[in-house]
Amino acid sequence: MGSFVLHGNIIDSESPERLRVAADSYLVCEEGRCTGVFSALPERFSGLPLTDFGDRLILPGMTDLHLHAPQFAFRGLGMDLELLDWLNAHTFPEEAKYADLSYAALAYGQFVDCLRRSATTRAVVFGTVHPAATTLLMELLEASGLVSYVGKVNMDRDCPEALREADAAASLAATEQWLASARFAHTKPILTPRFVPSCSDALLQGLGELAARRGLPVQSHLSENLGEIALVQSLCPQTDFYAEAYDRCGLLSQPCIMAHCVHCPPEEQDLLQARGVFIAHSPLSNSNLSSGIAPVSAYLARGLRVGLGSDLAAGETENLFRVMAEAIRVSKLRWRLLDDTTAPLTVAQAFYLATRGGGAFFGEAGCFEPGFALDAVVLDDSALVHPQELTPIERLERCIYLADERHIAAKYVAGTRLF
Ligand code: GUN
Ligand code: FE
């Protein structure tokens, strides 16, 4: 964790609506945190080591609020089904393989290598039901230098025997066993009931109590797909809407991420807002599984907390540039085809979601304001040739549509340079 100065074209989000650009400027980091952005370097920082990135773009590191590490292995495969059939046909058989630690080491090694090279600096990750494989995943993430939350998945019903935990007590005991080994500096545990159909009432109740007792955050899926929502309604006839099944167990009361939220009725949105829940918008996944399009600009307008999720492997890539572009693209289709009262996302809003919006789950992360963690990606967009000189904002917009890990010249997480 260092103290240093970076020079380049610095861009971050002031708010969902406003990008902040400091061309040809200096970003000062002290003890891993931002001190500020300066157009001329103040004398008092002249003793710090300076890395001159010249004309390159310096952006905040990005946060992936929702992805499944074990699904990396089948990214780009099996996109012809909706959620519930996709889980049975592709996801559960692959996740069962993580009972084998040597397979987990190979597959999770490939996943973590890929995430490390991406624009993602912070991530909130699903593992599998297996405690040992999930701890192994945490060891690999810790060694990568990324900052993350990782969850051992809980599921005690409605899945193949190979993955099903015997009952709520067995699932909670396995969770406690995993928590005892999950002690890392930058890789923290998060409780992970897969979703209501996979968890008995007793398991959700037990996880809610565990979250409160240990002050642990929670992640799950919510109102993703119409077939799933109908199933939850039949499983929980006494609830008025899906999120109540989590809330009645206290699962929305800790720091919490709910992935998708494509089809949330107004009362459900009110509850998410009252509980301060983060929504992980995962547009690639929502297109691939024919789930729908979440009304993200309406969520932002009403002050809900929203970030982006790649949702590997229902989303086919960890590349958050692609996720930003897809978020903008599907928001236009939603506006054109479904609801012309919800405006399409702007470039500034999509960039906010990928940086500040999701970064907020980690506290002060996702922008270059004083005191925030110094997470940065340095982009070399010179290979994206253009016959004219472009402004930094135009270059950022092109990167959202065109960049991938090949354009990342350097990456910093909490003041440490990863490459
Ligand atoms: N709902 C429950 N499990 C999953 C999963 O693995 N992926 C997605 N997209 N939704 C889910
Ligand atoms: Fe998911």
Side-chain angles (χ1 to χ4, degrees):
M1 196 193 316
S3 299
F4 51 81
V5 181
L6 308 180
H7 169 261
N9 295 303
I10 301 163
I11 307 178
D12 72 350
S13 279
E14 188 178 319
S15 70
E17 278 66 48
R18 281 182 68 89
L19 292 169
R20 193 161 35 195
V21 184
D24 189 12
S25 290
Y26 298 85
L27 172 58
V28 176
C29 172
E30 291 177 292
E31 305 291 329
R33 299 205 162 260
C34 296
T35 302
V37 174
F38 304 92
S39 56
L41 188 65
E43 178 58 32
R44 65 185 189 281
F45 304 123
S46 60
L48 296 179
L50 184 146
T51 304
D52 188 356
F53 287 112
D55 189 43
R56 289 174 179 170
L57 301 177
I58 303 178
L59 312 179
M62 296 179 193
T63 292
D64 192 335
L65 272 189
H66 180 70
L67 69 167
H68 297 257
Q71 298 178 17
F72 179 72
F74 70 96
R75 66 199 186 286
L77 291 171
M79 296 301 201
D80 49 352
L81 298 171
E82 286 200 52
L83 173 64
L84 299 177
D85 293 332
W86 172 84
L87 286 171
N88 286 315
H90 300 292
T91 308
F92 293 152
E94 178 61 27
E95 292 193 8
K97 296 177 185 159
Y98 290 75
D100 173 356
L101 271 185
S102 59
Y103 182 75
L106 176 64
Y108 280 155
Q110 293 174 350
F111 162 71
V112 172
D113 273 353
C114 178
L115 200 64
R116 186 176 167 281
R117 281 185 271 111
S118 75
T120 299
T121 49
R122 293 171 191 252
V124 189
V125 184
F126 275 54
T128 62
V129 290
H130 311 100
T134 306
T135 303
L136 173 66
L137 170 62
M138 295 177 85
E139 282 166 12
L140 294 168
L141 281 165
E142 183 75 7
S144 75
L146 300 170
V147 175
S148 61
Y149 286 96
V150 176
K152 183 208 101 63
V153 171
N154 297 91
M155 40 204 301
D156 68 343
R157 71 173 177 192
D158 204 17
C159 62
E161 189 138 9
L163 281 178
R164 189 163 58 239
E165 299 175 295
D167 54 22
S171 181
L172 292 166
T175 304
E176 296 273 13
Q177 177 201 337
W178 161 68
L179 286 170
S181 68
R183 297 184 183 282
F184 301 96
H186 308 296
T187 315
K188 301 292 184 193
I190 181 166
L191 295 184
T192 305
R194 177 169 216 121
F195 66 160
V196 168
S198 302
C199 300
S200 65
D201 290 357
L203 178 53
L204 291 177
Q205 195 65 44
L207 288 169
E209 287 161 14
L210 181 60
R213 192 166 70 245
R214 305 272 289 259
L216 290 165
V218 176
Q219 63 178 346
S220 193
H221 297 91
L222 179 66
S223 296
E224 172 179 3
N225 184 281
L226 296 177
E228 170 215 24
I229 293 166
L231 176 59
V232 171
Q233 186 55 51
S234 72
L235 291 168
C236 308
Q238 58 291 53
T239 57
D240 288 334
F241 49 87
Y242 191 159
E244 266 188 10
Y246 296 122
D247 193 52
R248 66 185 180 179
C249 302
L251 286 163
L252 305 184
S253 299
Q254 299 294 324
C256 179
I257 298 170
M258 284 289 150
H260 306 299
C261 300
V262 175
H263 303 284
C264 293
E267 320 83 77
E268 189 161 69
Q269 296 177 33
D270 292 342
L271 180 63
L272 297 178
Q273 190 148 15
R275 297 284 183 267
V277 170
F278 281 77
I279 294 170
H281 175 48
S282 306
L284 287 170
S285 164
N286 298 155
S287 297
N288 287 327
L289 299 183
S290 307
S291 294
I293 305 172
V296 177
S297 65
Y299 290 167
L300 286 174
R302 63 171 292 169
L304 280 161
R305 301 161 107 174
V306 195
L308 292 183
S310 65
D311 195 24
L312 271 172
E316 71 272 19
T317 178
E318 76 298 331
N319 178 359
L320 288 176
F321 294 110
R322 287 273 312 285
V323 179
M324 281 189 270
E326 186 76 357
I328 296 169
R329 193 165 12 244
V330 299
S331 74
K332 293 173 181 169
L333 292 176
R334 192 180 191 286
W335 172 75
R336 174 65 66 200
L337 299 174
L338 216 60
D339 168 16
D340 66 6
T341 65
T342 301
L345 281 179
T346 64
V347 165
Q349 286 172 327
F351 184 69
Y352 170 88
L353 294 174
T355 56
R356 240 182 135 147
F361 187 73
F362 290 82
E364 295 188 319
C367 73
F368 295 135
E369 284 183 10
F372 276 58
L374 193 292
D375 298 351
V377 289
V378 181
L379 291 185
D380 179 354
D381 58 348
S382 57
L384 305 174
V385 292
H386 196 286
Q388 298 157 30
E389 192 167 326
L390 299 175
T391 64
I393 296 270
E394 288 169 331
R395 290 168 58 194
L396 171 66
E397 181 169 355
R398 272 168 40 98
C399 285
I400 286 174
Y401 283 94
L402 298 170
D404 59 34
E405 73 287 351
R406 292 169 298 185
H407 304 99
I408 301 176
K411 176 167 164 175
Y412 295 80
V413 184
T416 298
R417 186 169 181 172
L418 268 50
F419 57 82

